[in-house]
Amino acid sequence: DVVGRPAVTRHDYGTGAAWYLSTLPSPSALARIYDDILGEAAVPRLPAAPAGIEMSRRGDTLFVINQTGERMPAPVAGHDLLLDDWNDGGALGPWATLVLDATSASSLDRSAAESVAAHSAESGALVKQD
């Protein structure tokens, strides 16, 4: 019986913390949980990504990958490190990749946590941060 038991627990360990989710909350509740965890860990937020777009930050480099065979709106604008030019966040071609200076990137959409929760619930789209 789980009635009256916590759905989310947190345990301090060393210099960090471990979080345990014993349920699958709604996307909006999951977004709030992710916001708490990422905020506490001081993890830089990724801009939101529509389904089919994978974003990954490695240090000061932001990779934006179109995982579809269709043109997709890029969810960010920023300095393109491959072309050494400004990318205004226009359409991202089929299977294309942007490599941006993460310190110059600006979001064109909703919060990263909302995006993570929505994609986790809807499609399992990949959103990573290191």
Side-chain angles (χ1 to χ4, degrees):
D1 187 26
V2 295
V3 174
R5 305 257 180 164
V8 179
T9 59
R10 180 186 173 283
H11 177 74
D12 290 329
Y13 186 80
T15 59
W19 292 75
Y20 177 75
L21 220 61
S22 64
T23 186
L24 182 59
S26 69
S28 62
L30 190 57
R32 288 190 304 273
I33 293 166
Y34 283 149
D35 275 338
D36 288 347
I37 294 169
L38 294 173
E40 180 180 298
V43 173
R45 301 294 207 276
L46 282 176
I53 299 291
E54 174 185 346
M55 293 199 304
S56 179
R57 182 173 176 161
R58 303 280 188 257
D60 287 339
T61 305
L62 178 63
F63 298 88
V64 183
I65 304 167
N66 181 353
Q67 298 280 0
T68 75
E70 302 174 12
R71 291 184 71 75
M72 298 287 290
V76 293
H79 182 80
D80 187 323
L81 295 173
L82 297 177
L83 299 176
D84 194 24
D85 198 7
W86 183 258
N87 179 292
D88 65 2
L92 189 56
W95 313 112
T97 299
L98 286 175
V99 181
L100 301 176
D101 175 353
T103 63
S104 73
S106 59
S107 177
L108 303 175
D109 206 343
R110 61 187 173 166
S111 81
E114 287 176 317
S115 178
V116 169
H119 295 307
S120 296
E122 296 166 10
S123 66
L126 304 172
V127 179
K128 304 174 190 169
Q129 284 188 296
D130 285 346

